[in-house]
Amino acid sequence: MDSPHGAAVKAEDFGLKGPRGWVFRNIAIDAAPGSITAVEGPSGSGRTCLLLALTGRMKPTAGHAEVGGHRLPKKMAAVRRIAALGPVSGVNDLDQALTVAEQLREGALLQRRYEGPIRALLRPRGERRASAAARIEEALAVAGLDLATLPKGPRTSVRDLERLESVRLSVAIALLGDPRLLALDDLDLKLSDAERAEAWSLLRAIAARGTTVFAVCSEAPQDIPVVRTGTPAKTPDAKPDSAPAAETDAKPETDAKPESDTKPETSTKPDAKPDTNTKPETNTKGTDDALAEARRA
């Protein structure tokens, strides 16, 4: 059952296939609201594309999923409105030319413009600024990023942030819209053991507030349920998909311009079904192509 805030996520035989083969397939998920799920698998096995599909930004071609009561792929726009992306390389990278304060203001502006209620745009400018400042302060507190500890405070350049600080900043921006589902890619990339522990503590705190969390990682803590990509057969615990990336026609959606639920999606063929007799390919070009499409969108 869905909670008032966190989104339950369920998937069965969930997959994405393009002309070159499967990007991911046979995914089975049953995540409760306010839970954390790790996504593990070799590079190029469709981990990032799975996050994009679960957040309504890439159209699946096999099986189905349900996020917060919205069924995919039919209700992609509705899912986008309740799901946010934390750091996903090549999709929503931080702008290295901005300061931390500028990046936060830009995130608040985009969230208000494209995701907030229309009536919010009609409020007096001073009221809008105060509201944005309050949301930024709350998001920073939840993300555990204290601007006063940065070398130049809010004027610190994004390019000068440490890796964990960048993760916290990306998470804070994602939380500005109070999402019911938060998805992060490469959570533990380039982090020390101590920093990895801090990153998982951050996600646990976010989940404790009611937000459902999915995070791609190299190795999850023992108490975190795992969905694995890149394995050819299902297992009850691992809930894997099969693998390696292939080129896909699906174009990931962005947060900038949500579309109506009924608008036709991209050119992937929804009737494509997994071929369980086909051996997984070793080609990783599909994931690269899919992320390139996301970068251009």
Side-chain angles (χ1 to χ4, degrees), residues 130-269:
S131 176
R135 287 190 292 113
I136 288 174
E137 183 177 356
E138 180 182 2
L140 286 172
V142 175
L145 182 60
D146 184 355
L147 301 188
T149 64
L150 301 180
K152 297 182 180 179
R155 296 182 294 105
T156 301
S157 175
V158 170
R159 70 168 62 92
D160 293 332
L161 295 177
E162 300 292 338
R163 164 64 182 168
L164 184 56
E165 292 171 339
S166 294
V167 171
R168 292 186 186 277
L169 177 57
S170 293
V171 168
I173 293 171
L175 294 177
L176 289 174
D178 195 25
R180 298 174 62 193
L181 170 64
L182 174 66
L184 309 88
D185 196 17
D186 289 329
L187 174 68
D188 50 11
L189 180 68
K190 297 181 180 179
L191 296 182
S192 66
D193 290 343
E195 289 171 332
R196 290 183 183 187
E198 287 188 54
W200 285 108
S201 294
L202 166 61
L203 297 192
R204 288 187 175 94
I206 293 172
R209 298 175 70 249
T211 304
T212 307
V213 179
F214 275 74
V216 168
C217 63
S218 59
E219 184 177 359
Q222 292 185 352
D223 62 322
I224 302 296
V226 174
V227 171
R228 291 187 175 86
T229 60
T231 37
K234 296 182 186 178
T235 61
D237 297 327
K239 303 173 185 174
D241 64 353
S242 104
E247 183 181 21
T248 173
D249 296 332
K251 294 186 178 181
E253 305 293 339
T254 64
D255 291 331
K257 297 181 180 179
E259 301 174 357
S260 68
D261 294 348
T262 58
K263 185 174 180 180
E265 299 296 342
T266 56
S267 59
T268 48
K269 298 180 180 179

Side-chain angles (χ1 to χ4, degrees), residues 9-12 14 27-31 37 50 54 214 227 239:
V9 180
K10 299 179 182 294
E12 183 177 349
F14 200 50
I27 290 293
I29 298 171
D30 188 0
T37 302
L50 175 59
L54 289 174
F214 275 74
V227 171
K239 303 173 185 174

